[in-house]
Amino acid sequence: MGRILFQGGRVFDGTGSDRAAGDVVVEDGLIVDVGTGLDGDEVVDCTGMTVLPGLFDCHVHVVMSGVDLLRAVQQPFSYQFYEAARNLRRTLQAGITTVRDAGGADLGIQRAVEDGLIPGPRMQISVNIISQTGGHGDDWMPSGQCAGPWIPHPGRPASIADGPDEMRRVARTLLRAGAEVLKVCTTGGVLSPGDDPRHSQFTPEELDVLVTEASMQGKYVMAHAQGAEGVKNAVRAGIRSVEHGIFLDDEAIELMLEHRTWLVPTLVAPLAVLRSVQAGAALPEEMVRKAEEVVQVHADSVRRAVEAGVRIAMGTDAGVGPHGENLEELALMRACGMTPAQVLAASTSSSAELLGWGDRLGRLAPGYRADLVLVEGDAYEFERLPGAIREVWRDGVRVVPMTR
């Protein structure tokens, strides 16, 4: 393949600098030059467009397609894998070229994308969610039955742990199954019937074991953490990212700054729950009540974290809401005080850094993977952005519109 020249557009390079007129040259899946007056063997006309790095979503569940529990228990076991293929395609069409799956996707789904069996963004996977008995990832219901969005199988081992020894065993089992990041619940959550998002789960000793096991294998830990005390426990243990962060207090924010912990807000998630219920989804009243209660306090917490300078990466909890609508999160991030350039940097270079891929993804710069999104008009107009994406390229290959 020769040199592909993306010519005549405005370039947002992913660093947070403002857009500037420029060209991008791609060859053999890599960006080889960014500047003006460049040449190439094939020209892609970007006149009137903004050229972005491929976007990230650092919190998705590709085997989940909504939060309707009645629907979930009625689906055949294998149906989730076909839905995952559809969800990955929709995510890619939204300009998301890289995702971190926060529970559910196994190694087979990741490899199917890597090997070109199904179209989708590149994936970093956690396989399953580590929960204590009665915690946010424990799908036990008052009936005595388990009714969660996915059940364990050979590629997705069970991940309930109580005590340091069980935590060590579960961590090693998930790493053996292909987990590149370990996901743990350090608080309750909205979509679990028997706990409170403000209450802590797992002891500091259990979390220390988990981080040690991940670190010994060159991996890191992400934490579903909504209540302030559970956030603090996660940060003190050395967990790399806090997911949601609904009830942050000043001490939690200060600790996150001190430890350089990332926040992945997922502001759209509770809104998606309420929309699903309005559309007829069957959820317990307790879950609906919690979703209603957290919307405003969630936004307030993220706003305070942004003002303090906490590092932010983009994530949506897609799967709770529809896949392919990921970019709704960007306007919500801007409403929490981030500038448009900061929002796009959080969705590109900052997310790449969080995932440990900051030296190869998230920027338009020589030597980086050639992931590009071509947006008609101004990419800072987030409300119109989903309908303005014209082309998506991954590793120097146009994947949207999809070629045959």
Side-chain angles (χ1 to χ4, degrees):
M1 182 182 293
R3 291 162 57 95
I4 305 172
L5 172 65
F6 296 82
Q7 185 179 61
R10 289 195 295 172
V11 173
F12 179 86
D13 66 6
T15 64
S17 299
D18 202 3
R19 306 142 298 171
D23 305 332
V24 179
V25 178
V26 168
E27 187 173 16
D28 295 330
L30 296 175
I31 296 168
V32 296
D33 206 353
V34 180
T36 57
L38 306 180
D39 59 19
D41 303 310
E42 176 186 344
V43 177
V44 178
D45 184 7
C46 300
T47 303
M49 296 186 184
T50 306
V51 183
L52 308 175
L55 300 170
F56 283 66
D57 190 330
C58 296
H59 194 123
V60 303
H61 300 281
V62 301
V63 301
M64 253 179 96
S65 300
V67 292
D68 191 325
L69 290 181
L70 182 60
R71 177 183 179 275
V73 300
Q74 292 176 320
Q75 292 290 4
F77 170 76
S78 60
Y79 195 83
Q80 63 187 297
F81 300 102
Y82 297 95
E83 284 196 313
R86 180 199 63 190
N87 295 338
L88 286 161
R89 183 180 67 252
R90 289 179 175 176
T91 303
L92 190 62
Q93 290 171 332
I96 308 290
T97 58
T98 304
V99 298
R100 182 177 61 170
D101 190 274
D106 66 0
L107 188 58
I109 293 174
Q110 183 192 48
R111 286 193 179 171
V113 174
E114 288 180 354
D115 294 344
L117 298 181
I118 55 176
R122 69 175 55 77
M123 303 178 69
Q124 188 174 101
I125 60 172
S126 60
V127 180
N128 211 344
I129 299 173
I130 302 172
S131 170
Q132 67 181 39
T133 297
H136 177 63
D138 184 351
D139 296 324
W140 185 91
M141 295 291 170
S143 65
Q145 303 299 313
C146 289
W150 55 79
I151 61 175
H153 65 76
R156 185 168 63 211
S159 53
I160 301 294
D162 296 297
D165 288 341
E166 284 194 16
M167 179 69 87
R168 181 175 292 108
R169 178 189 58 79
V170 165
R172 292 176 178 179
T173 301
L174 291 172
L175 290 166
R176 181 180 66 182
E180 298 162 294
V181 51
L182 295 175
K183 163 85 174 289
V184 67
C185 299
T186 66
T187 71
V190 171
L191 291 177
S192 41
D195 59 23
D196 189 305
R198 292 163 294 192
H199 293 169
S200 299
Q201 296 175 3
F202 285 120
T203 64
E205 292 75 18
E206 291 168 313
L207 297 178
D208 287 343
V209 167
L210 178 62
V211 173
T212 296
E213 289 296 324
S215 298
M216 289 196 318
Q217 304 305 319
K219 314 294 185 186
Y220 69 96
V221 181
M222 60 189 291
H224 162 103
Q226 300 184 351
E229 295 307 314
V231 169
K232 295 171 199 176
N233 288 340
V235 174
R236 291 182 180 119
I239 286 173
R240 186 168 174 84
S241 69
V242 165
E243 314 294 305
H244 315 304
I246 292 175
F247 295 98
L248 298 176
D249 63 16
D250 291 343
E251 184 183 16
I253 290 172
E254 286 300 317
L255 280 170
M256 292 180 73
L257 290 169
E258 177 185 343
H259 290 261
R260 293 183 57 77
T261 310
W262 294 88
L263 174 62
V264 182
T266 70
L267 291 156
V268 74
L271 299 174
V273 172
L274 298 176
R275 291 169 188 163
S276 296
V277 172
Q278 292 166 1
L283 283 180
E285 291 183 6
E286 178 69 7
M287 293 184 186
V288 179
R289 180 189 63 78
K290 288 190 284 186
E292 291 172 338
E293 289 178 350
V294 303
V295 171
Q296 188 57 52
V297 68
H298 191 182
D300 291 341
S301 285
V302 174
R303 185 177 298 109
R304 289 170 44 243
V306 168
E307 290 174 354
V310 172
R311 298 196 294 177
I312 307 292
M314 194 279 230
T316 63
D317 223 351
V320 172
H323 296 273
E325 298 182 10
N326 312 60
L327 301 187
E328 183 181 354
E329 182 77 11
L330 304 189
L332 297 174
M333 294 166 72
R334 182 181 60 195
C336 288
M338 300 178 72
T339 68
Q342 288 174 330
V343 170
L344 287 182
S347 306
T348 52
S349 60
S350 291
S351 289
E353 186 179 349
L354 166 59
L355 271 58
W357 293 339
D359 60 345
R360 72 198 82 161
L361 293 169
R363 292 181 56 193
L364 299 181
Y368 280 69
R369 302 303 306 177
D371 288 11
L372 301 92
V373 179
L374 276 53
V375 176
E376 185 176 4
D378 188 353
Y380 286 179
E381 297 178 3
F382 296 141
E383 287 78 8
R384 60 173 290 278
L385 185 57
I389 292 173
R390 294 295 170 258
E391 292 186 13
V392 180
W393 294 67
R394 205 193 103 175
D395 287 328
V397 176
R398 188 177 64 187
V399 291
V400 178
M402 292 181 182
T403 56
R404 297 186 180 274

